[in-house]
Every structure is written in C-alpha cells, then in structure tokens.
Amino acid sequence: MCIKNVKRSGSTDSIFGPVKNPWSYAKHYREKRRSSHCVINEDSDWVITGGSSGGSAAAVSSGTCYVAIGSDTGGSTRNPASHCGIVGLKPTYGLVSRHGLIPLVNSMDVPGILTRCVDDAATVLGVLGGHDPDDSTTVQDPFAPFQLPDITDMSKLCIGIPKEYHASWTIYRNSVTLVKDSRLV
C-alpha cells in the first residue's frame, strides 16, 4: 500500500487528487468563466499548475510557504512558476548541490528554486550555492552570495525578439507599449 501511494504522488495523479493552481480560485478567473456561459463543473473547472514541481509552485503562490525547491531538468520548476505567477530559477549546473536528488537526466538535473520575487530567489541561491563535499559535480571555487543591484532606470533597456520566433510587428509594437506604459523608462 505504501509503495503504491508513493507512486501516485505527482502533480496530476496524487492520491489526494491533482494539484490545483491557486489562480483557479481568483475572482477574475471565476468571473471570466461565468461570462463565457459555459456549464461550470466545480470538480473539473480549475487551472493546471504546469508540471512536476506544480505542488511546490502552488504552495509558494498560495502563500503557504515563502520558498520551495523542485527538481528541474527541462523546465520542471520554471513552467509551474510561470503558470502560478511566481519566480522559478534553474541554477547553473554545479552551482547548487545535487546530493539527494534523484536525476531524470544526470547531466541536466539541478534543484530549482521557487519564490514569490526575484530578490528571494537570489537570497535562496546565495544560501544553497557553493561546494558540497558530498557532490563531486559542485564548483570547487569559493562561492560568495551576492546582492541584486537596484535597477530603477530602464531607459537603456533593450528588448530583443529573435527573427526565428516569427513574431509579428504587432507583437513588437505591443512589447514596446508595455515597457513605456510601465513608467520605468
């Protein structure tokens, strides 16, 4: 029974049911669903959390915790972070110890950081980063925590949209408008 329950402990197939994105309960989401004149079934009308670390992302997004750690191979913390409206950071391989992590792809897995703001992610990275004698893949050089600079002048900000994205002129124009409307320029 115990092994069976452990196997069913993911974001979608948990013994407790799927992890629901806290934004599913937001007033604007509910109003949008009601205005679409769809029949709303409360059991099936919810927003996904976006991946294998979705439970961690939902916990941070709902305010249950300030920080959570997830395993990130190809976006398993960054995708749920974007779905839940929080910050997801995949540290550079070797910067944070992988000791105790069960890898999906040994050369790509790292512990990912989920927080509510960039400053918190930088603080957590400062605590977790550095050499670990139990993990031969961590950097050997001394690691010093850092402070993010205060960036208030965005007048020299350059936004690049690669041609390979096939972005239309409308997307470019909308991006410029968003930056100008932010009043940071």
Side-chain angles (χ1 to χ4, degrees), residues 119-131:
D119 288 331
D120 288 349
T123 301
V124 172
L125 181 61
V127 171
L128 297 178
H131 179 68

Side-chain angles (χ1 to χ4, degrees), residues 56-80:
S56 300
V60 173
S61 179
S62 68
T64 304
C65 59
Y66 290 105
V67 64
I69 306 296
S71 174
D72 197 322
T73 305
S76 298
T77 55
R78 293 162 288 152
N79 285 338

Side-chain angles (χ1 to χ4, degrees), residues 1-174:
M1 179 68 173
C2 184
I3 298 298
K4 183 179 176 183
N5 290 343
V6 168
K7 288 182 180 179
R8 294 184 58 210
S9 62
S11 286
T12 57
D13 60 353
S14 167
I15 193 168
F16 301 107
V19 177
K20 296 179 180 178
N21 190 324
W23 289 103
S24 300
Y25 305 102
K27 182 178 178 183
H28 72 274
Y29 175 75
R30 290 288 177 204
E31 288 173 356
K32 182 178 179 181
R33 295 295 294 157
R34 275 192 212 102
S35 68
S36 70
H37 304 293
C38 294
V39 176
I40 298 175
N41 178 351
E42 292 296 324
D43 292 333
S44 64
D45 184 37
W46 49 274
V47 183
I48 65 167
T49 54
S52 61
S53 294
S56 300
V60 173
S61 179
S62 68
T64 304
C65 59
Y66 290 105
V67 64
I69 306 296
S71 174
D72 197 322
T73 305
S76 298
T77 55
R78 293 162 288 152
N79 285 338
S82 68
H83 280 279
C84 294
I86 60 172
V87 175
L89 173 68
K90 179 180 182 180
T92 302
Y93 184 86
L95 187 58
V96 174
S97 175
R98 299 179 322 120
H99 182 72
L101 182 69
I102 300 171
L104 177 66
V105 179
N106 202 25
S107 62
M108 293 177 67
D109 280 307
V110 297
I113 299 168
L114 296 155
T115 61
R116 293 172 75 182
C117 68
V118 174
D119 288 331
D120 288 349
T123 301
V124 172
L125 181 61
V127 171
L128 297 178
H131 179 68
D132 179 4
D134 292 329
D135 182 2
S136 63
T137 65
T138 55
V139 293
Q140 301 294 318
D141 299 332
F143 175 76
F146 56 92
Q147 187 86 21
L148 290 176
D150 252 353
I151 301 175
T152 53
D153 180 19
M154 306 265 300
S155 63
K156 299 199 180 359
L157 177 68
C158 179
I159 297 177
I161 302 176
K163 291 178 187 175
E164 293 81 11
Y165 288 169
H166 304 289
S168 68
W169 179 248
T170 306
I171 291 173
Y172 170 77
R173 199 170 49 244
N174 289 346

